[in-house]
Amino acid sequence: MDFAFSEEQEMLRSQARSFVTDRFGAERVAQLAETEAGWDESSWDAMTELGWMGLSIPEEQGGAGFGFLEEAVLFEELGYGLYPGPYFSTVALARRALDGAPEQLKRLASGGSRLTLAWIEGGRAKLLPETGMSTQAQESGDGWTLTGEKHLVPDASAATDVVVVAAGPEGLGLWVARCEDAKIEMDPTMDRTRRLGRIIFDGTPAEQVAGAGDVRSTLERVQMTAYAALALEAVGAGQAAFELAADHVKTREQFGKPIGAYQAVSHQVVDSYIGIELARSLAYWAAWCVAEGDERAPMAAAAAKSFAGEAAVASCERAIQVHGGIGFTYEHPLHRYYKRAQWIDSFDGFGSVQRASVATALLGS
Amino acid sequence: MDFRDAPEEASFRSELRSWLEENLPDGWRELSPSRTRWNADVSREWSKKLYEAGYVGLTWPKEYGGRAAPYTHQAVFLEEMVRAEAPEHIGVIGLGMAGPTIISHGTDEQKNRHLANILSGDEVWCQGFSEPGSGSDLASLRTKAVRDNDHFVVNGQKVWSSFAHIADWCILLVRTDPDAKKHQGITYLLVDMHSDGVDVRPLNQMSGEPEFNEIFFSDVRVPIENVLGEVNAGWGVAMTTLLHERGTLGFALTSRLEVAMNKVVTLARETGAERDPLIRDRIARHWVELQGLKFTNYRALTTLVKTGVPGPEGSIAKLFWSESNQRLTKLALEIMGPRAQLDGDEGIWDGYWQYQQLRSRGNTIEAGTSEVLRNIIAERVLGLPRSR
């Protein structure tokens, strides 16, 4: 047993930490959150140059041929910096559906595409669909077209391409389409650093990437990768909020003492530390299981996502509390971590939904 | 990062697994979980067997009867003990507290005298730290020891001492310099519990069982060679003990929690509560937090293996374990519904959970209250200002 990242992975971590602190400090993120685009498109080229887009893509397709553990390091650090941009949507969601589409992987590794996944529609919100979809895929010439409306699509306006869960003639499948061929309408989203939108397809040309035979297993892989990635992001965001809290209580004085000397205050900060450390352990374990294709991966990822999402939310709430009035203002950066933590917590259902799948694994259905 | 066993871990695991298969006490597996399952005789015999097979003190130096194995073997050992639901070694205090402290601070004579006997269970140890007036403020202790030639003469009272009624030896903190500052006048003694003037009286706890004891010392003569470390330097030695109590022992306690978790799953199945969505959510929540605790311990262990110093995450072990155990035992009672009130022979599993739930209230008090442990994390790990 060895519970440590390798030297190379740690180097990647410090590279990522410098990237987010140099380019996406709290003030920069605050500015971007107020822009219409919500992110800085040039960051994508910088990340591509660092080799981050193709980390887990095989060398034949222009990637680095590493695995999810390397990406895990990035998810944690990008979460710490609240990086606004479609890295999660591209790498944790869409990329996991593209293993059978080498040309798509090539484009992605070269920085030529940014992707997201569209799975939610009226009445159907689960990432693992139980029945059909109203969004339809139809054969058209030697290709396909999509028709229908998808909701709550992450980073819809930042993506160039979208992987869509739709009903084809033989059942559910996955198709990839160009966003410019569809209509995108962004929705007001609490977390302005990761916005949700609607994508309306109306005879939109598409390429099939998974058919009825492998759609379920593909979406299961997407789900566990997304859970693990979000757990890592939650650790990053929760850690950042905890550090703000710890720094604040060391310096803020009331009644002639730094408020961290009062146990009613310091113990809250300790509880955040404990929550984030446990979440970190779960998230790293889940990341390893996903990277190795371990049989415990679905359970580990569900466990990590449910715990880390809640731990990050709690860390932010305690940080707001110990900051007093200033922590409650729009001006202070805390609310952005809080909103991201809640975005993560709500993904594919709050923690109780993932615990239900843990319970099924423990107790049967 | 790799959660698979390394080759030598895998061979150690399979060797241990088959040993357990052959050596568990007769009929042990068939016994239903109940409060009567543990008893000193079974545990003493089992301790001896484990020792003879070389499974006790895995990480201790070879010259004192250990195996000098890497810490990861201890983790494998605990996992397999959980899996087999094996009985526990009798020398919890000796293995987890007295032994490691003697290894760190003892003379060669003290090491030779005690360590192998601790491993074999031939010496059962207890702890004489807390006093009626000195709980969290341990350094205010008043049990005094006065030098008389080559002996210290001890007078005073200790309290909350588990195993004292069956113990052969005691790690004892005494005040040897009443004029020094409170942390500087303390000496750490190894005391023979069979000495004249040692009087052990059981304290019934809220479950009705006498697990703790008071120990009264009246003119107890302790030879000077039984001082652990230097005279008046006992506070630092005591810190070693407490570090192990909350770290090393916390690790073992987590594996005990894993056994309890499995029992809760069994209980839910037996009672049909497994179909209740609220109970399912609670069970899953516990399983998740238990994995979080277990892997946090492993992370601290990896830091220990790589750097020789346990990671700061280790400070979480005892604190989180105690609170988690309280929640888990409460959940077991909730699963039983109104029948949770029935205790003893009439209770489900002979009152096993009734006992465990009441006992768990002590977990956040013994070995450092949760309040003290949060202060320690705040000040020493997070660098927050001192609260006093």
Side-chain angles (χ1 to χ4, degrees):
Chain A
M1 189 199 58
D2 173 15
F3 205 143
F5 287 98
S6 69
E7 224 167 280
E8 292 75 13
Q9 288 159 348
E10 288 299 346
M11 279 168 61
L12 184 62
R13 180 185 297 284
S14 30
Q15 189 187 49
R17 178 61 66 100
S18 324
F19 178 83
V20 294
T21 47
D22 296 351
R23 297 189 55 137
F24 294 97
E27 276 174 38
R28 178 76 179 129
V29 172
Q31 280 170 2
L32 287 169
E34 302 311 318
T35 61
E36 200 190 327
W39 74 299
D40 170 4
E41 221 182 291
S42 72
S43 63
W44 203 257
D45 300 330
M47 290 163 81
T48 304
E49 258 171 54
L50 290 167
W52 292 359
M53 292 311 146
L55 269 181
S56 69
I57 292 173
E59 288 172 38
E60 304 86 83
Q61 278 107 42
F66 293 122
F68 185 66
L69 265 188
E70 283 71 22
E71 289 167 342
V73 169
L74 295 190
F75 282 118
E76 184 182 343
E77 292 304 321
L78 295 176
Y80 181 84
L82 285 189
Y83 166 72
Y87 185 79
F88 164 76
S89 305
T90 300
V91 174
L93 293 175
R95 183 253 168 276
R96 263 58 216 187
L98 297 176
D99 279 331
E103 289 308 313
Q104 293 287 349
L105 290 181
K106 258 186 213 168
R107 259 183 80 212
L108 168 52
S110 70
S113 61
R114 308 184 294 266
L115 295 109
T116 186
L117 181 79
W119 71 99
I120 298 175
E121 52 186 48
R124 287 190 179 79
K126 286 184 179 172
L127 190 44
L128 297 183
E130 278 146 15
T131 52
M133 285 276 170
S134 63
T135 301
Q136 300 287 321
Q138 287 176 314
E139 289 190 87
S140 154
D142 48 5
W144 296 83
T145 61
L146 294 172
T147 302
E149 182 171 333
K150 290 288 182 184
H151 299 165
L152 302 172
V153 182
D155 297 318
S157 60
T160 59
D161 295 69
V162 56
V163 175
V164 185
V165 187
E170 285 162 17
L172 284 182
L174 297 169
W175 284 264
V176 58
R178 299 255 180 172
C179 292
E180 62 188 22
D181 297 333
K183 194 173 158 204
I184 313 273
E185 291 175 2
M186 293 309 287
D187 291 313
T189 311
M190 270 177 69
D191 177 5
R192 293 185 58 79
T193 63
R194 183 170 288 159
R195 301 177 197 178
L196 303 165
R198 273 165 290 154
I199 307 188
I200 299 133
F201 304 96
D202 185 9
T204 307
E207 175 197 339
Q208 188 170 32
V209 290
D214 52 359
V215 63
R216 178 95 195 170
S217 62
T218 303
L219 285 175
E220 281 171 354
R221 193 164 63 244
V222 169
Q223 186 188 51
M224 73 181 180
T225 313
Y227 282 178
L230 289 175
L232 290 150
E233 273 198 355
V235 168
Q239 171 78 23
F242 151 73
E243 287 176 10
L244 286 172
D247 289 345
H248 180 73
V249 306
K250 282 177 196 172
T251 50
R252 166 76 176 172
E253 291 195 6
Q254 287 289 278
F255 306 106
K257 277 201 268 187
I259 58 173
Y262 301 110
Q263 294 172 4
V265 173
S266 66
H267 288 190
Q268 293 193 58
V269 181
V270 168
D271 284 339
S272 288
Y273 168 75
I274 293 172
I276 296 301
E277 288 306 315
L278 294 183
R280 187 189 308 283
S281 305
L282 283 166
Y284 292 175
W285 173 52
W288 180 85
C289 289
V290 168
E292 292 295 318
D294 190 272
E295 59 178 4
R296 291 170 301 177
M299 203 177 177
K305 191 269 178 184
S306 70
F307 191 95
E310 292 179 358
V313 169
S315 173
C316 293
E317 289 175 347
R318 292 192 202 96
I320 293 166
Q321 179 67 25
V322 302
H323 271 79
I326 191 73
F328 183 64
T329 62
Y330 200 77
E331 192 191 343
H332 198 278
L334 264 177
H335 68 94
R336 281 184 204 90
Y337 296 98
Y338 187 39
K339 290 165 183 172
R340 173 65 67 84
Q342 295 207 62
W343 194 102
I344 293 170
D345 203 11
S346 73
F347 178 86
D348 200 27
F350 282 78
S352 58
V353 174
Q354 289 87 50
R355 281 194 297 276
S357 69
V358 169
T360 302
L362 288 173
L363 298 161
S365 48
Chain B
M1 193 176 294
D2 194 345
F3 290 93
R4 284 172 291 240
D5 286 341
E8 81 278 1
E9 289 160 12
S11 65
F12 175 69
R13 189 189 296 278
S14 80
E15 163 208 311
L16 173 59
R17 202 174 277 190
S18 31
W19 185 86
L20 282 168
E21 200 63 46
E22 283 166 29
N23 289 280
L24 275 181
D26 285 342
W28 178 259
R29 277 178 203 280
E30 289 70 41
L31 282 175
S32 71
S34 76
R35 70 196 328 178
T36 53
R37 196 167 162 181
W38 189 91
N39 72 60
D41 292 338
V42 171
S43 183
R44 213 181 271 274
E45 197 181 324
W46 175 244
S47 307
K48 192 106 200 160
K49 243 178 175 177
L50 275 176
Y51 170 69
E52 280 162 5
Y55 290 125
V56 194
L58 286 169
T59 58
W60 289 22
K62 276 188 179 152
E63 61 264 42
Y64 308 118
R67 241 196 213 197
Y71 287 97
T72 49
H73 283 217
Q74 184 64 18
V76 170
F77 175 78
L78 290 171
E79 283 178 358
E80 290 302 313
M81 296 292 275
V82 169
R83 193 175 165 278
E85 288 197 25
E88 282 179 35
H89 191 283
I90 193 156
V92 178
I93 309 276
L95 289 175
M97 297 162 68
T101 311
I102 293 172
I103 290 174
S104 295
H105 299 280
T107 61
D108 287 344
E109 289 74 26
Q110 287 166 343
K111 291 175 184 171
N112 289 324
R113 169 73 186 78
H114 296 295
L115 293 177
N117 288 335
I118 287 173
L119 296 181
S120 66
D122 286 331
E123 275 179 14
V124 174
W125 284 67
C126 66
Q127 180 189 18
F129 280 28
S130 297
E131 296 181 6
S134 304
S136 291
D137 183 10
L138 180 60
S140 69
L141 60 90
R142 287 187 302 187
T143 294
K144 67 174 182 190
V146 178
R147 184 79 183 258
D148 177 18
N149 293 319
D150 52 355
H151 280 76
F152 274 111
V153 179
V154 179
N155 279 287
Q157 181 190 355
K158 294 288 177 178
V159 74
W160 318 128
S161 189
S162 307
F163 299 101
H165 60 296
I166 56 167
D168 305 295
W169 286 85
C170 178
I171 42 177
L172 185 70
L173 293 183
V174 292
R175 184 156 306 281
T176 37
D177 183 353
D179 301 324
K181 284 189 183 163
K182 67 178 182 179
H183 292 91
Q184 288 160 12
I186 293 171
T187 298
Y188 196 119
L189 297 177
L190 309 177
V191 177
D192 184 343
M193 288 293 283
H194 306 295
S195 311
D196 289 343
V198 176
D199 182 18
V200 177
R201 295 181 206 163
L203 271 173
N204 283 338
Q205 48 191 59
M206 60 201 275
S207 64
E209 307 218 351
E211 183 194 315
F212 294 126
N213 302 275
E214 295 174 291
I215 316 175
F216 294 86
F217 296 88
S218 317
D219 293 330
V220 176
R221 295 183 70 79
V222 180
I224 204 79
E225 60 264 26
N226 287 10
V227 172
L228 190 60
E230 301 296 322
V231 173
N232 291 333
W235 185 251
V237 184
M239 288 303 102
T240 305
T241 305
L242 294 181
L243 211 62
H244 280 283
E245 182 175 25
R246 294 161 191 166
T248 318
L249 207 56
F251 212 98
L253 291 171
T254 302
S255 68
R256 211 189 279 179
L257 190 60
E258 212 168 354
V259 175
M261 174 79 230
N262 294 341
K263 287 186 160 102
V264 165
V265 169
T266 307
L267 180 71
R269 288 221 170 92
E270 281 181 11
T271 54
E274 80 199 277
R275 293 186 298 277
D276 178 340
L278 295 177
I279 295 290
R280 288 171 74 86
D281 184 67
R282 301 270 299 281
I283 288 177
R285 193 182 277 279
H286 273 283
W287 185 86
V288 171
E289 72 180 42
L290 173 61
Q291 306 312 307
L293 178 60
K294 181 167 117 174
F295 286 110
T296 298
N297 288 345
Y298 284 0
R299 207 147 54 80
L301 186 72
T302 294
T303 313
L304 176 67
V305 170
K306 286 198 194 292
T307 66
V309 188
E313 319 80 34
S315 57
I316 293 171
K318 189 270 173 177
L319 174 59
F320 193 78
W321 162 78
S322 61
E323 296 179 354
S324 187
N325 194 41
Q326 290 179 344
R327 290 190 288 267
L328 186 70
T329 51
K330 185 75 71 63
L331 172 61
L333 295 197
E334 282 187 46
I335 286 174
M336 295 178 191
R339 290 168 73 201
Q341 272 298 309
L342 295 182
D343 200 357
D345 293 347
E346 293 301 312
I348 297 174
W349 295 8
D350 310 327
Y352 173 83
W353 288 112
Q354 283 69 22
Y355 170 75
Q356 295 295 338
Q357 194 274 322
L358 293 174
R359 178 66 186 83
S360 77
R361 298 317 302 177
N363 298 156
T364 47
I365 299 168
E366 60 202 336
T369 63
S370 291
E371 290 74 15
V372 163
L373 295 180
R374 282 190 169 82
N375 284 350
I376 290 173
I377 294 177
E379 292 166 21
R380 306 216 188 125
V381 181
L382 307 186
L384 299 192
R386 287 185 66 84
S387 62
R388 58 190 188 285

